[in-house]
Amino acid sequence: MSAAAVHTRTIYTWEVRKLAAQKRTYIGLACALLVPLIFIVSLLADDGSPEGVPFADTVRETGLTIPLVGLFFGAFWFFPLVTALVAGDIVAAEDGHGTLKTILTRSADRWQIFVAKVLAALTYSFGALVLFVLVSTVLGGIFWGFDPLVSLSGTEISMGRSLLLVGGATLAYALPIFAVTSIAILLSTTTKNSAAAVVTTLMLSLIMQLLGIVSALDFLRPYLLPQQFNAWQGLLREPIDWGPIVRAAWVSALYGIPCLAWAFAHFLRRDVTGG
Amino acid sequence: MTAAIEARGLVKRYGELTAVDHVDLTVRSGDVYGYLGPNGAGKTTSLRMLLGLIRPDEGSAKLFGHDPLVEGARALDGVAGFVEAPRFYPYLSARKNLELVAALDGGDAKDRIEDALETVDLTGRQHDKVRGYSHGMKQRLGIAGALLRDPRLLLLDEPTTGLDPAGMRDMRALVHRLAEDGLTVLLSSHLMSEVEDLCDRVAIVTRGRVVYEGALDELIATTAGRYDVRTTDDAEAALIARRARGIRGVTVSRAGLSLEGDETAVAHLTLDLAQAGIGLRALVPRTATLEELFFRMTEGSADAEAPALVPA
Ligand SMILES: Nc1ncnc2c1ncn2[C@@H]1O[C@H](COP(=O)(O)OP(=O)(O)OP(=O)(O)O)[C@@H](O)[C@H]1O
Ligand SMILES: [Mg+2]
């Protein structure tokens, strides 16, 4: 029995299995399914009046707008919440169940457990995002047709390119999701309390949105996370505006990586008591 | 040969409180070692440091020569056990929990799941969620989890706590069997009888300090020769006992007499009592309770003046 015999991949697989065995995981995924459905139902019921659903007219042009509109609205609280729900729990749940001592007295090193947890949380966050986009695209296409998108600059985009852009938008969206996941993992690790970690992550996200609408703080906005959730819109310009996406990448990394590093250092050194 | 456990100068402080205060511990391979102390003595805290779960403020701990703080999980090769109650994922079945920890052990740990379940008698309930397990079942599952590692050293923290009499008996029988198979065991307990049952060496800790360390036989020898006596006339019996040769430390309480002496002296005393027309109701050789041992250990020499026994 040697420590090297345990692959981080094996631990990761079990972290994912643990997620798959917990209800909270499915709450997030169910929401990722339900929210597009609700949005679509409300569009179908929309009578086209000025107080109606925003973007209703654009959406009726092509179903491919549905995922994009979903991403736009999802940035306010939906994606931060779904992400925090699992990432905020992933370490704290072990404290809650007292199971850290169980897994830390086997042949896996602490760093391996931590890395496996981060990867599992990211798998879930990105999984929920992809599910959301897929469901919205398919349902949108079914109800309003798979017609090409119109760029934000007003030009027609070919069908193939439209689909590619929806995929690209999803990837760009994954950047701030990585940042939110990392923040939630840090809070999960340091607070050891699942509810506190989830709520605090959500609060931070809302506070950043508030800071973003204070006009005196305009200079801050490009460096806050909510702005990064809109970076994908650069893809829909003709020609593509990479600026916001590049910024989303480094701003998200600037939030995410220090959080993960801090959480990692904390997890490696912390005393495991309780349970 | 390196010691199974070698702890030197372990200290752990929580604020003002020193939970573990310069503990040295040497457990040789093959020992069944009792780590005995009352609630709050620092037993669990010591075990946590041995397993690398918490960082000592001072000192170091080595298992078969490897320090878990330095070498990580590798230092736990051949080591298994748990502190306080074993914990598992409530939303997974016992079987899945064992599969999970076996995966974290690597090697052939998963091939031992069947046997381990069998050993702790949980085969029939293996597919039930741990959420629905009773305390005793979880305790047994903890042992099964430890056995998956095919350990050479087993660290058990009060494994019989909260078990019913049958559960206690089974748990002790299991530890006994494992010890016979050559496993080194460190068993923390606050039950003298348990330690007497299973262990050959003991350390007694109180308020974070080791106050006695040595062979169990020697410890018990220091407490031998004390008897509780109840008679038809305790007051008169006490007078006779105080005059009797070879009898010392006579005290009287409502519960009867307590005295010290070797077997011959005590046998003579019973004859003296009979001659005086005093009947014996009970003559009980007394093994010291843990509390008495602490008293002796903390108040100094055991053989000099016998300490007055504090009625419980
Ligand atoms: N995480 C902690 N934070 C603060 N104090 C602690 C912590 N862990 C232990 N202590 C204190 O350290 C002392 C020793 O505790 P420990 O759990 O090691 O005792 P124990 O010998 O295992 O007792 P028991 O027989 O009740 O299990 C106690 O006074 C306890 O309150
Ligand atoms: Mg304890």
Side-chain angles (χ1 to χ4, degrees):
Chain A
M1 191 166 50
S2 118
V6 187
H7 284 291
T8 308
R9 188 168 8 100
T10 314
I11 309 173
Y12 164 76
T13 312
W14 274 100
E15 284 298 327
V16 172
R17 280 188 203 162
K18 282 194 267 181
L19 288 184
Q22 290 178 84
K23 282 200 197 78
R24 92 169 36 227
T25 312
Y26 296 98
I27 297 176
L29 292 183
C31 290
L33 284 170
L34 269 178
V35 168
L37 270 179
I38 293 172
F39 183 57
I40 284 167
V41 169
S42 61
L43 272 178
L44 289 172
D46 185 60
D47 55 4
S49 67
E51 306 90 77
V53 181
F55 296 106
D57 292 336
T58 354
V59 166
R60 291 202 182 88
E61 312 255 310
T62 163
L64 286 192
T65 9
I66 290 275
L68 299 178
V69 175
L71 289 182
F72 179 78
F73 285 109
F76 295 110
W77 56 265
F78 177 72
F79 277 108
L81 176 62
V82 169
T83 303
L85 203 57
V86 163
D89 188 56
I90 199 136
V91 177
E94 304 277 353
D95 277 293
H97 291 132
T99 41
L100 268 183
K101 67 178 183 194
T102 310
I103 53 177
L104 290 178
T105 50
R106 315 305 294 195
S107 297
D109 276 311
R110 286 194 185 199
W111 70 265
Q112 292 183 293
I113 303 263
F114 184 81
V115 168
K117 282 192 173 297
V118 170
L119 292 179
L122 287 173
T123 304
Y124 169 83
S125 301
F126 295 158
L129 170 63
V130 169
L131 183 69
F132 180 91
V133 171
L134 276 181
V135 171
S136 320
T137 309
V138 171
L139 290 179
I142 290 172
F143 286 105
W144 290 282
F146 290 99
D147 297 305
L149 290 167
V150 178
S151 80
L152 292 175
S153 325
T155 50
E156 282 269 341
I157 306 175
S158 77
M159 185 59 205
R161 193 175 156 80
S162 295
L163 283 175
L164 207 64
L165 286 181
V166 170
T170 311
L171 282 181
Y173 211 76
L175 297 168
I177 290 221
F178 159 77
V180 175
T181 307
S182 307
I183 292 172
I185 290 174
L186 170 61
L187 289 166
S188 187
T189 310
T190 51
T191 65
K192 307 180 172 85
N193 178 319
S194 176
V198 175
V199 171
T200 311
T201 307
L202 206 56
M203 287 306 251
L204 284 176
S205 160
L206 293 178
I207 287 171
M208 279 198 250
Q209 286 173 38
L210 282 178
L211 290 178
I213 55 175
V214 177
S215 51
L217 298 175
D218 267 354
F219 65 95
L220 263 184
R221 195 179 312 135
Y223 308 103
L224 297 174
L225 281 180
Q227 183 84 349
Q228 319 314 322
F229 275 103
N230 292 328
W232 57 269
Q233 291 167 14
L235 291 174
L236 292 185
R237 301 203 183 275
E238 287 286 325
I240 289 177
D241 179 6
W242 291 102
I245 294 172
V246 171
R247 188 203 305 278
W250 67 259
V251 171
S252 300
L254 219 54
Y255 280 86
I257 291 171
C259 283
L260 287 183
W262 181 0
F264 184 67
H266 186 272
F267 189 78
L268 243 50
R269 290 193 56 87
R270 65 168 285 195
D271 277 1
V272 175
T273 56
Chain B
M1 191 172 171
T2 48
I5 298 178
E6 189 172 80
R8 290 291 168 267
L10 280 184
V11 175
K12 184 70 186 180
R13 297 189 191 90
Y14 289 109
E16 293 282 280
L17 177 95
T18 308
V20 172
D21 193 359
H22 295 93
V23 163
D24 295 328
L25 205 61
T26 309
V27 178
R28 291 165 311 186
S29 262
D31 278 352
V32 180
Y33 198 100
Y35 199 53
L36 197 58
N39 291 142
K43 304 183 293 294
T44 301
T45 306
S46 305
L47 260 63
R48 284 194 179 116
M49 287 190 277
L50 294 180
L51 286 168
L53 288 172
I54 63 176
R55 279 176 184 270
D57 292 314
E58 290 173 34
S60 68
K62 288 198 173 111
L63 308 171
F64 298 112
H66 301 284
D67 185 335
L69 281 188
V70 179
E71 298 175 45
R74 205 172 292 261
L76 297 182
D77 269 8
V79 180
F82 49 82
V83 290
E84 298 198 313
R87 291 301 188 94
F88 292 95
Y89 299 99
Y91 50 82
L92 295 177
S93 69
R95 173 92 196 187
K96 274 269 173 294
N97 269 291
L98 290 186
E99 284 172 7
L100 189 159
V101 291
L104 298 185
D105 289 334
D108 48 3
K110 63 177 181 305
D111 302 334
R112 283 187 281 270
I113 293 178
E114 298 294 338
D115 283 349
L117 281 167
E118 199 66 50
T119 304
V120 300
D121 203 15
L122 282 175
T123 309
R125 301 288 301 271
Q126 58 176 311
H127 297 296
D128 293 1
K129 293 235 158 60
V130 169
R131 191 192 310 286
Y133 266 36
S134 73
H135 176 75
M137 290 163 75
K138 284 185 204 157
Q139 208 80 1
R140 270 144 59 201
L141 188 58
I143 297 276
L147 294 180
L148 295 184
R149 290 175 70 72
D150 192 17
R152 287 180 290 156
L153 169 64
L154 194 56
L155 302 173
L156 297 174
D157 190 17
E158 306 194 24
T160 57
T161 299
L163 298 186
D164 65 15
M168 275 188 171
R169 187 197 56 210
D170 292 349
M171 181 67 76
R172 286 179 194 162
L174 179 63
V175 173
H176 199 76
R177 207 164 70 231
L178 294 171
E180 297 228 300
D181 291 346
L183 230 75
T184 308
V185 180
L186 176 69
L187 175 96
S188 98
S189 179
H190 58 252
L191 302 174
M192 183 68 189
S193 61
E194 181 164 286
V195 168
E196 262 182 284
D197 231 25
L198 296 169
C199 302
D200 36 47
R201 287 185 75 79
V202 287
I204 294 184
V205 280
T206 176
R207 276 181 253 112
R209 287 175 172 276
V210 174
V211 291
Y212 176 87
E213 205 281 334
L216 185 68
D217 303 347
E218 288 163 27
L219 177 67
I220 288 175
T222 67
T223 72
R226 182 134 209 117
Y227 292 83
D228 285 336
V229 187
R230 274 187 290 132
T231 64
T232 49
D233 184 351
D234 286 346
E236 184 62 25
L239 288 177
I240 296 172
R242 286 199 175 105
R243 283 198 306 268
R245 197 174 316 145
I247 301 289
R248 301 171 310 262
V250 180
T251 58
V252 198
S253 73
R254 255 178 308 151
L257 274 68
S258 168
L259 49 81
E260 251 176 79
D262 62 26
E263 283 183 10
T264 330
V266 173
H268 278 125
L269 175 64
T270 60
L271 295 178
D272 291 349
L273 292 175
Q275 263 169 13
I278 300 174
L280 267 184
R281 285 198 178 129
L283 175 64
V284 187
R286 166 138 174 197
T287 42
T289 61
L290 189 54
E291 291 69 31
E292 286 165 349
L293 286 175
F294 290 137
F295 199 81
R296 284 157 183 261
M297 299 307 156
T298 49
E299 302 292 310
S301 146
D303 298 327
E305 282 299 296
L309 294 175
V310 191

